[in-house]
Amino acid sequence: GPTRKMPLTASAMDFFQLFVPDNVLKNMVVQTNMYAKKYQERFGSDDAWVDVTLTEMKAFLGYMISTSIHHCESVLSIWSSGFYSNKSIALIMTQSRFEKILKYFHVVAFRSSQTTHSLYKIQPFLDSLQNGFDSAFRPSQAQVLHEPLIDEDPVFIATCTERELRKRKKRKFSLWVRQCSSTGFICQIYVHLKEGSGADGLDALKNKPQLHSMVAKSLCQNASGKNYIIFTGPSITSLNLFEEFEKQEIYCCGLLSTRKSDCTGLPPSMLNNSATPQSRGQYRIRMKGNMSLICWYNKGHFRFLTNAYSPVQQGVIIKRKSGEIPCPLAVEAFAAHLSYICKYDDKYSKYFISHKPNKTWQQVFWFAISIAINNAYILYKMSEAYHVTRYSRAQFGERLVKELLGLEDTSPTH
């Protein structure tokens, strides 16, 4: 849970600034003004440009965040006369001023001579965000490594044609998280860039388990010695990775796939389906030290690799139609924690910022801001302030937008 007690009067902005404090926003102001100056020195002066202020930077973020609540196709719809127009916040800043800030907006204006990382334009921000996540929250023992749902706005997906979907540009990065499965709080973010078609590119990442292993190690670099139980999907699960994690006192439970997983070192007899028909709930176990490979049958064979649970401990999967299905405890635990993350995705994925910039670093930045707001809401729900105001996720987002824009109204809109 939270590591600090927030006051009863804590606002949405107070929770958001646990991760994005004023000093980070002030740095954005400095870097944006530096970039604007350098840009104009190179391409000619812009008479309409005036250096941005901290108040304007907060309003700029507020407009962007408002797209996560109303899901407008373009942030500029706020100033339009159409369905997504919002006169109450459009008066704070003119559209032309917003577009100027958007044109020059930067988190890091210039590459230093020592920088080789492709995410240098937002790496300091991601590092600051990570420090905020680490200091504000203590996760539960059970955590999940996965890719959160950060794709297109669900309204767009439901209404567009297949041709429009194919025309959408594919993201040039893959975003992975380590997430507390008891609360949904995202403890760590890892961004893997597609940097060409080489061994480290995104195309290789989809096909090579060793690269998924690299992602897992990066996400768990701060987890050593804490006895965490990490749940993994088929692309990450492997015997070599789990044995390496065990040496660091990190324990694992993962779903195994003969097609997607690295099955090196696992007995072939457990990877082949038995010819004789099996009844639901039957399972076979092979052990090596603390590691167990479980093959469980339920309308198909499911394989699990774990060193976090004893294979002889019994569990149960409850289905609405077929009732209780016996299984090892590891299977029950895996199903429970993964179902919680699915509920998190259903609840929070629709609150990702809808703005879709062309530059990869900006895409990562707005996704990271969206994750920070979701984490801020989770901390808010676990605080005493929630029992005073009881905002929903949408209301919390609207409060944050109004506070960033400097509006005085404190009552929820719905």
Side-chain angles (χ1 to χ4, degrees):
T3 58
R4 69 189 79 178
K5 187 175 181 180
M6 299 293 282
L8 288 171
T9 55
S11 64
M13 188 73 165
D14 292 330
F15 286 97
F16 177 64
Q17 293 213 299
L18 291 173
F19 311 124
V20 189
D22 267 353
N23 66 312
V24 171
L25 298 175
K26 287 174 183 174
N27 181 63
M28 292 179 193
V29 171
V30 171
Q31 297 294 329
T32 298
N33 290 332
M34 284 173 56
Y35 180 80
K37 182 181 178 182
K38 196 73 175 178
Y39 184 93
Q40 291 174 53
E41 286 175 0
R42 185 175 179 185
F43 297 106
S45 62
D46 184 348
D47 295 334
W49 173 254
V50 179
D51 278 0
V52 68
T53 64
L54 178 60
T55 302
E56 285 182 314
M57 184 58 71
K58 287 182 178 179
F60 173 76
L61 289 178
Y63 284 126
M64 286 297 194
I65 292 167
S66 71
T67 67
S68 68
I69 304 159
H70 304 293
H71 300 293
C72 48
E73 290 183 8
S74 168
V75 65
L76 300 180
S77 301
I78 292 168
W79 291 274
S80 71
S81 56
F83 179 77
Y84 291 109
S85 65
N86 192 331
K87 303 299 182 188
S88 63
I89 65 174
L91 298 174
I92 303 299
M93 183 186 290
T94 64
Q95 179 178 341
S96 60
R97 179 58 176 164
F98 174 85
E99 289 183 280
K100 284 294 178 188
I101 298 173
L102 180 61
K103 177 181 178 180
Y104 296 121
F105 174 70
H106 267 71
V107 180
V108 174
F110 308 111
R111 183 197 294 261
S112 68
S113 56
Q114 295 84 19
T115 305
T116 57
H117 198 285
S118 299
L119 282 175
Y120 76 93
K121 289 201 173 207
I122 54 164
Q123 195 59 54
F125 172 76
L126 294 178
D127 293 340
S128 170
L129 204 61
Q130 188 59 56
N131 290 335
F133 291 169
D134 291 340
S135 62
F137 185 82
R138 186 176 62 253
S140 65
Q141 184 185 28
Q143 296 166 39
V144 180
L145 306 186
H146 72 119
E147 290 182 273
L149 287 176
I150 58 171
D151 288 323
E152 304 293 351
D153 171 42
V155 175
F156 170 80
I157 293 296
T159 56
C160 71
T161 63
E162 284 188 25
R163 185 182 176 190
E164 286 174 323
L165 267 179
R166 285 196 299 270
K167 283 170 67 178
R168 300 292 278 197
K169 286 185 179 179
K170 289 185 178 180
R171 279 188 282 112
K172 294 183 178 180
F173 64 93
S174 176
L175 191 148
W176 297 74
V177 300
R178 175 165 56 87
Q179 188 168 16
C180 170
S181 60
S182 299
T183 59
F185 188 95
I186 289 178
C187 309
Q188 191 159 352
I189 300 172
Y190 179 79
V191 181
H192 186 94
L193 284 178
K194 179 181 180 181
E195 301 175 38
S197 56
D200 294 331
L202 187 57
D203 294 334
L205 178 67
K206 290 179 178 177
N207 301 318
K208 295 190 176 180
Q210 63 265 32
L211 289 176
H212 287 267
S213 174
M214 178 198 71
V215 169
K217 290 173 187 175
S218 298
L219 285 170
C220 293
Q221 60 187 357
N222 299 328
S224 299
K226 297 181 180 177
N227 287 316
Y228 287 154
I229 297 175
I230 304 294
F231 292 88
T232 62
S235 60
I236 292 178
T237 303
S238 78
L239 179 62
N240 292 335
L241 177 67
F242 283 13
E243 287 178 339
E244 191 173 328
F245 275 168
E246 188 173 1
K247 294 173 185 175
Q248 303 172 37
E249 296 180 45
I250 303 171
Y251 302 94
C252 304
C253 180
L255 182 63
L256 198 69
S257 164
T258 52
R259 189 168 58 90
K260 294 181 179 179
S261 305
D262 178 4
C263 296
T264 306
L266 299 175
S269 60
M270 292 290 286
L271 302 176
N272 298 322
N273 297 335
S274 58
T276 55
Q278 292 182 285
S279 58
R280 296 176 73 176
Q282 278 192 320
Y283 57 89
R284 296 177 292 148
I285 298 170
R286 287 284 295 274
M287 292 187 69
K288 177 187 175 185
N290 293 328
M291 200 71 65
S292 305
L293 176 59
I294 301 166
C295 182
W296 177 68
Y297 185 81
N298 178 26
K299 290 187 176 179
H301 291 88
F302 294 89
R303 294 171 180 84
F304 297 87
L305 189 65
T306 182
N307 57 2
Y309 297 92
S310 166
V312 296
Q313 282 187 285
Q314 293 293 311
V316 66
I317 299 288
I318 300 174
K319 297 287 185 181
R320 287 179 186 170
K321 293 183 179 179
S322 49
E324 295 184 351
I325 304 169
C327 66
L329 183 62
V331 178
E332 180 187 342
F334 184 91
H337 291 293
L338 264 291
S339 68
Y340 188 93
I341 295 305
C342 289
K343 289 177 184 176
Y344 172 91
D345 283 341
D346 291 343
K347 183 175 182 179
Y348 291 104
S349 63
K350 61 185 176 184
Y351 293 110
F352 277 82
I353 292 168
S354 298
H355 176 65
K356 295 289 186 291
N358 290 325
K359 294 178 180 176
T360 299
W361 74 263
Q362 290 185 5
Q363 293 173 18
V364 175
F365 176 81
W366 295 118
F367 283 137
I369 288 285
S370 301
I371 288 173
I373 299 169
N374 285 340
N375 276 355
Y377 180 69
I378 289 169
L379 291 188
Y380 161 72
K381 283 200 74 175
M382 299 174 75
S383 74
E384 293 179 0
Y386 176 71
H387 300 290
V388 177
T389 49
R390 295 182 97 64
Y391 291 137
S392 67
R393 173 62 183 84
Q395 289 170 337
F396 182 85
E398 288 185 346
R399 273 304 318 146
L400 178 58
V401 169
K402 287 182 177 180
E403 288 165 25
L404 284 165
L405 291 167
L407 296 172
E408 295 299 321
D409 178 28
T410 57
S411 59
T413 55
H414 60 274

